[in-house]
Amino acid sequence: VAAELLVVGAGLIGTSLGMALGGRDVLLADPDAGALEVAVGRGAGRVWDRAQPFAHCVVATPPATVAGVVAELALAFPAATFSHVCSVQRSVQADLAERGIDLSRVCGSHPMAGKEQSGPGAASARLFAGRPWVLCPSPQTGPAALEATRRVAELCGAEAVELTAEEHDAAVALVSHLPQVAASAVGAVLSQSTEQGTRLAGPGLQDTTRIAASDPAMWIEVLRQNAQAVAPLVRALSTELGVAADALDRLAAQPDDTAALRAVDGLLRRGNAGRRLVPRKRGEHDRDFVLVAVAVPDRPGQLAGVLVSAAEAGVNVEDVRVEHLPGRPTGVIELLVHPSAQAEARRALAAAGWDVVGA
Amino acid sequence: VAAELLVVGAGLIGTSLGMALGGRDVLLADPDAGALEVAVGRGAGRVWDRAQPFAHCVVATPPATVAGVVAELALAFPAATFSHVCSVQRSVQADLAERGIDLSRVCGSHPMAGKEQSGPGAASARLFAGRPWVLCPSPQTGPAALEATRRVAELCGAEAVELTAEEHDAAVALVSHLPQVAASAVGAVLSQSTEQGTRLAGPGLQDTTRIAASDPAMWIEVLRQNAQAVAPLVRALSTELGVAADALDRLAAQPDDTAALRAVDGLLRRGNAGRRLVPRKRGEHDRDFVLVAVAVPDRPGQLAGVLVSAAEAGVNVEDVRVEHLPGRPTGVIELLVHPSAQAEARRALAAAGWDVVGA
């Protein structure tokens, strides 16, 4: 009898996927016996004997290996459908087409989750909960493969979003690959400095460079595979900055150069406009929130105390930022709340004895 | 009898400064009677009658007006010393020199605090607590002016750091002005898209573009005044990205182009190196912390509950990140802790019933 699902690749994504489908009949395969053992131990499924048939197979292996795995299994199991979970779609679609596989049986997909860690030990049944999971059928993908892929996404608690491979690759180039290259480039300029030279850094530099710490080995593969979509965006960014550098050079010589001022002003204003397009969650944006800041001693439990006071007052804290102060046992906690809750949050926190900044 | 301090300018900085010196004899001046009234009402000092002498004057007015204010008051009050609080130093130093003021009586300074709000209503006695406060004496600045300026910084609870104007302007160009231009430029590229085009955005884009929301009117003045120091850094960033765009173009045509791969790999690795130079607090860096992630329902009080559990276990949470999940009532809370506390934090949170990710 055919199992419901075969997962090939017991890494972070494959193991999490098996765990999320807990209770269903999931088969697992991985050439790394150690990884496979960890995945089975975590409840991701049972070891595949390479003979039992399966209705659908998710190939969760490195992108360069996906087409080979699908080609082999599609031949041996002619009734099965296939999907993969690659972060870039067009290159994998091209690899599959070159293999002469029946493309009606294959659907691409990309769960938007799980970047900072790797391996089955970091897997979680909740990894995909509420995340977008992009389905990328090719023009040849048949309804059975598409629906099986959608069902996996939904069983994992993800939100299925259907895009073409081209649309997907363009979208991730803009919202993921461009900011990675930008953060890395700011980091590269900073790397010419020293710890002494950056000691005045505040939260602006912190945030702007956070993802510059990403793993180069993973990112070079992503950027290589999506080079066609990323290159023009990086070029546009370079051009924006070249124009800004020209304008700043002119302002250094002549602080009232009107055209140069207009160029810098335009950059800042278009920056505002672009930022307004970045969703915070569920279509909400920065403009939908306001800050309430509280100064606290930098001791364990202060953050918890502030949040308990907010919770007791019925204030929903959408986000929180902790700003530590160098060289001093004190800090500022910034709570992000809906504008309708701001006055009550300030009142309740002050009444609870907290030092509300600007109160 | 001479008052200890005159503060000219009842904005965010001037009012906060007066409030931080609460109890001392502080005089306040501002051409805006409404701002002055708010500042006095908040305990920042008493209204100056324009006759009473003062030992030291902090000019907390817009940078372009500082030299004029100092020139007028230095003539009328020949025993006083002066400082200012401008975010760029060389241009103000040059303005002061042009006025024929006795420069031994003047010391520049820059408290690194208070960017996101403005006006006396947003002021706080704790605004400067634990922040760096850069003292920028010119070669002519005398010991009395320098020590009076240092005393103001220390009375405000700030950490005084002495730099030349050139060193200061180079440092803020690198840690503050460069990331602002970079974030604005990423925002400018994004602004070509739509809310639909950015709906797959995650925390990486959020962080990289946060400061792109900054006020253009304020930033154009800062960038204009520090253009000489910022221009070469923006040029270097543009060049990094131009080289990256070239490499990505070559990879789009030939995915195995070794030189292009080496260029992208080098960018990512130098980005890692630069990021390692960004301090988190007190000389601590990312490498000194590890993450513990907890999946929670997106309801009021969950964040507080997780932090209370951590506090009860004696775990000091250094920072916290809230990741909301689009379209679903659930989220992930990431706690940043010292590596020595990670195992205990995971154990204690799981024991308290929280869904520790990857546990």
Side-chain angles (χ1 to χ4, degrees):
Chain A
V1 58
E4 186 168 353
L5 192 70
L6 167 64
V7 177
V8 180
L12 172 69
I13 300 293
T15 305
S16 296
L17 202 155
M19 289 167 73
L21 267 62
R24 292 170 183 275
D25 190 18
V26 176
L27 303 175
L28 294 173
D30 197 299
D32 177 344
L36 194 57
E37 193 182 330
V38 172
V40 170
R42 305 211 50 207
R46 60 196 173 84
V47 177
W48 184 43
D49 63 4
R50 302 197 60 87
Q52 187 181 348
F54 47 88
H56 183 75
C57 170
V58 179
V59 181
T61 61
T65 67
V66 165
V69 172
V70 174
E72 185 194 331
L73 295 177
L75 199 67
F77 298 90
T81 56
F82 294 85
S83 60
H84 62 80
V85 292
C86 296
S87 58
V88 177
Q89 295 287 320
R90 274 181 308 180
S91 56
V92 179
Q93 218 170 72
D95 286 354
L96 288 162
E98 274 181 16
R99 296 270 178 168
I101 299 163
D102 171 4
L103 295 175
S104 73
R105 295 170 61 195
V106 187
C107 182
S109 84
H110 178 202
M112 307 288 288
K115 269 182 226 166
E116 301 204 1
Q117 295 168 293
S118 64
S124 164
R126 310 251 333 239
L127 187 68
F128 311 108
R131 300 273 181 169
W133 188 314
V134 185
L135 310 179
C136 293
S138 72
Q140 293 81 30
T141 298
L146 174 59
E147 289 317 309
T149 309
R150 185 190 307 277
R151 188 170 155 72
V152 168
E154 289 174 352
L155 286 172
C156 287
E159 188 190 1
V161 176
E162 202 175 316
L163 295 178
T164 67
E166 290 70 24
E167 288 168 342
H168 169 274
D169 288 2
V172 293
L174 188 68
V175 305
S176 170
H177 308 170
L178 173 68
Q180 179 60 55
V181 173
S184 293
V186 174
V189 174
L190 279 179
S191 73
Q192 307 292 310
S193 183
T194 60
E195 290 197 4
Q196 187 65 6
T198 57
R199 71 183 156 154
L200 296 179
L205 188 67
Q206 269 287 345
D207 286 359
T208 311
T209 59
R210 185 177 63 81
I211 57 174
S214 298
D215 177 22
M218 190 199 94
W219 272 98
I220 197 152
E221 280 309 308
V222 171
L223 294 173
R224 184 223 294 253
Q225 286 162 42
N226 207 21
Q228 194 183 331
V230 181
L233 296 172
V234 173
R235 180 80 63 200
L237 184 61
S238 172
T239 302
E240 287 282 1
L241 290 162
V243 170
D246 289 346
L248 289 166
D249 271 339
R250 295 206 304 279
L251 289 174
Q254 174 48 262
D256 295 317
D257 184 317
T258 315
L261 286 171
R262 204 178 305 126
V264 175
D265 184 63
L267 178 74
L268 293 165
R269 287 182 195 282
R270 284 180 297 119
N272 287 173
R275 171 64 187 179
R276 284 194 292 271
L277 295 177
V278 180
R280 182 167 284 276
K281 64 165 189 173
R282 295 182 213 165
E284 287 179 331
H285 294 75
D286 279 357
R287 59 179 179 262
D288 304 317
F289 299 99
V290 291
L291 282 179
V292 174
V294 180
V296 298
D298 185 11
R299 289 201 298 265
Q302 300 298 298
L303 182 56
V306 169
L307 289 163
V308 166
S309 295
E312 282 173 357
V315 173
N316 197 6
V317 174
E318 297 293 330
D319 203 352
V320 61
R321 202 153 67 211
V322 182
E323 208 167 293
H324 286 284
L325 304 180
R328 265 296 144 139
T330 185
V332 172
I333 296 173
E334 294 181 334
L335 309 181
L336 208 72
V337 301
H338 275 273
S340 62
Q342 186 181 32
E344 173 59 14
R346 292 175 67 96
R347 193 205 57 72
L349 289 167
W354 296 105
D355 181 6
V356 179
V357 175
Chain B
V1 59
E4 185 168 352
L5 193 71
L6 167 64
V7 177
V8 181
L12 174 68
I13 301 292
T15 305
S16 296
L17 201 156
M19 290 168 71
L21 267 61
R24 291 171 184 276
D25 190 18
V26 176
L27 304 174
L28 294 173
D30 196 300
D32 177 344
L36 195 56
E37 191 182 330
V38 173
V40 170
R42 305 212 47 210
R46 59 195 174 85
V47 176
W48 184 43
D49 62 5
R50 301 196 63 84
Q52 188 181 350
F54 48 87
H56 183 75
C57 170
V58 179
V59 182
T61 62
T65 67
V66 166
V69 171
V70 174
E72 185 195 330
L73 295 178
L75 198 65
F77 298 89
T81 56
F82 295 85
S83 62
H84 62 80
V85 291
C86 297
S87 58
V88 177
Q89 295 286 322
R90 275 181 307 180
S91 56
V92 180
Q93 220 172 69
D95 287 354
L96 287 162
E98 274 181 16
R99 295 269 177 170
I101 298 164
D102 172 5
L103 296 175
S104 72
R105 296 169 60 195
V106 187
C107 183
S109 85
H110 179 203
M112 307 288 289
K115 271 183 226 163
E116 300 205 2
Q117 295 168 295
S118 63
S124 163
R126 310 254 329 243
L127 187 67
F128 311 107
R131 298 274 180 169
W133 189 314
V134 185
L135 309 180
C136 292
S138 72
Q140 293 80 30
T141 298
L146 175 58
E147 288 318 309
T149 309
R150 186 191 305 277
R151 188 168 153 73
V152 168
E154 288 174 353
L155 286 172
C156 287
E159 188 189 1
V161 177
E162 201 175 317
L163 295 177
T164 67
E166 290 69 25
E167 287 167 345
H168 169 274
D169 288 2
V172 293
L174 188 68
V175 304
S176 170
H177 308 171
L178 173 69
Q180 178 60 55
V181 174
S184 292
V186 174
V189 174
L190 281 179
S191 73
Q192 308 291 311
S193 183
T194 60
E195 290 198 5
Q196 186 67 6
T198 57
R199 72 184 155 150
L200 295 178
L205 188 67
Q206 269 288 345
D207 286 358
T208 310
T209 60
R210 185 175 64 79
I211 56 174
S214 299
D215 177 23
M218 189 199 95
W219 272 98
I220 197 152
E221 280 309 307
V222 171
L223 294 173
R224 183 224 292 255
Q225 287 162 42
N226 207 21
Q228 194 182 333
V230 182
L233 296 171
V234 173
R235 180 80 63 199
L237 184 62
S238 172
T239 302
E240 287 282 2
L241 291 162
V243 170
D246 290 346
L248 289 165
D249 271 339
R250 295 207 305 279
L251 289 173
Q254 175 47 264
D256 294 318
D257 184 316
T258 314
L261 286 171
R262 206 178 303 126
V264 175
D265 183 63
L267 178 74
L268 293 165
R269 287 181 195 282
R270 283 179 299 120
N272 286 175
R275 171 64 187 179
R276 284 194 293 269
L277 295 177
V278 180
R280 182 167 284 278
K281 65 165 187 171
R282 296 184 212 164
E284 288 179 330
H285 294 76
D286 279 357
R287 60 180 179 261
D288 304 316
F289 300 98
V290 292
L291 283 177
V292 174
V294 180
V296 298
D298 185 11
R299 288 201 300 263
Q302 300 298 298
L303 182 55
V306 169
L307 288 162
V308 165
S309 296
E312 283 173 356
V315 172
N316 197 5
V317 174
E318 298 292 330
D319 203 353
V320 60
R321 202 155 65 215
V322 181
E323 209 167 293
H324 286 285
L325 304 178
R328 260 305 141 130
T330 185
V332 172
I333 296 173
E334 294 181 334
L335 309 181
L336 208 72
V337 301
H338 275 273
S340 62
Q342 186 181 32
E344 173 57 15
R346 293 175 68 96
R347 194 205 57 73
L349 289 167
W354 296 106
D355 182 6
V356 179
V357 175

